[in-house]
């Protein structure tokens, strides 16, 4: 069994945010990852996103990382939605909620909420491992008129995400990184 999360975020000397996220989200046990690998430690993004004070603190710290050309925040289903919402509350930027697949009923849209046509869109996710879903979403959003050059996450797990995204023309920005 491979332990992908042996080194979780450590707090900076003057900031306890990473320690607070670690305390809220770090789980031990046996976990099957999306990649098919198993891990003995897991960072549960929903646990820190479900804590209003912790989510707010993370969003506040992420605001300076938003590229100045950003016109729309694109929260990925499901983990990116609360992070994008919190960022929107701090910045006033509109949000598009991005589905993994367009529904076959209702509006039948992949991107709900803010219009992304001819806009600089920043993809938001809570945690990035391989970057696969961000790459897929960028590929789906570009034909809809979105300009996508960056993605932003709370935690980069330090695996292949940054490299994968670079090959798709997306620079990964992150608040915290596993080292």
């Amino acid at each position: 069994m491979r332990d992908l999360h042996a080194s979780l975020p450590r707090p900076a000397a003057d900031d306890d945010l990473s320690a607070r996220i670690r305390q809220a989200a770090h789980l031990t046990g046996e976990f099957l990852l999306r990649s098919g690998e198993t891990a003995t430690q897991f960072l549960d993004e929903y646990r820190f996103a479900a804590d209003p004070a912790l989510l707010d603190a993370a969003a506040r710290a992420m605001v300076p990382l938003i590229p100045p050309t950003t016109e729309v925040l694109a929260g990925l289903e499901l983990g990116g939605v609360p992070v994008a919402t919190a960022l929107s509350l701090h910045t006033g930027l509109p949000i598009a909620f991005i589905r993994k697949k367009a529904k076959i009923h209702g509006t039948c849209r992949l991107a709900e909420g803010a219009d992304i046509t001819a806009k600089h869109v920043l993809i938001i996710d809570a945690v990035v491992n391989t970057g696969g879903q961000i790459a897929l979403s960028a590929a789906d959003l570009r034909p809809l008129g979105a300009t996508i050059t960056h993605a932003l996450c709370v935690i980069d797990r330090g695996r292949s995400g940054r490299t994968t995204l670079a090959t798709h023309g997306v620079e990964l920005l992150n608040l915290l990184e596993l080292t």
Side-chain angles (χ1 to χ4, degrees):
M1 187 177 319
R2 184 173 176 196
D3 182 4
L4 298 176
H5 312 294
S7 177
L8 295 171
R10 302 287 184 233
D14 59 344
D15 185 10
D16 70 344
L17 182 58
S18 64
R20 290 171 56 206
I21 289 174
R22 177 186 169 87
Q23 183 175 5
H26 178 238
L27 304 175
T28 59
E30 187 170 325
F31 304 94
L32 179 62
L33 304 177
R34 180 176 157 178
S35 66
E37 298 178 61
T38 57
T40 58
Q41 298 187 56
F42 187 73
L43 198 59
D44 187 344
E45 63 201 61
Y46 304 110
R47 290 190 175 207
F48 71 77
D51 179 328
L54 191 51
L55 179 61
D56 182 66
R60 254 185 290 117
M62 292 171 75
V63 168
L65 301 174
I66 297 173
T69 57
T70 301
E71 297 173 284
V72 175
L73 303 172
L76 295 187
E77 177 188 349
L78 180 64
V81 170
V83 177
T85 301
L87 282 169
S88 177
L89 291 169
H90 283 283
T91 63
L93 289 168
I95 309 168
F97 302 102
I98 310 305
R99 299 181 189 279
K100 290 179 183 170
K101 282 186 166 183
K103 291 207 172 197
I104 58 171
H105 60 277
T107 63
C108 302
R109 292 184 184 147
L110 180 73
E112 300 282 0
D115 183 15
I116 61 167
T117 307
K119 305 281 184 182
H120 283 85
V121 175
L122 176 63
I123 295 178
I124 307 292
D125 210 351
V127 178
V128 171
N129 192 13
T130 65
Q133 187 56 54
I134 292 174
L136 290 172
S137 294
D140 289 341
L141 296 173
R142 286 175 173 145
L144 300 176
T147 299
I148 299 170
T149 57
H150 293 85
L152 174 61
C153 66
V154 179
I155 299 168
D156 173 6
R157 287 184 171 150
R159 294 202 63 223
S160 59
R162 190 171 303 281
T163 303
T164 298
L165 293 173
T167 65
H168 289 87
V170 178
E171 180 182 348
L172 181 62
L173 307 169
N174 59 284
L175 178 62
L176 302 170
E177 185 173 346
L178 300 180
T179 56

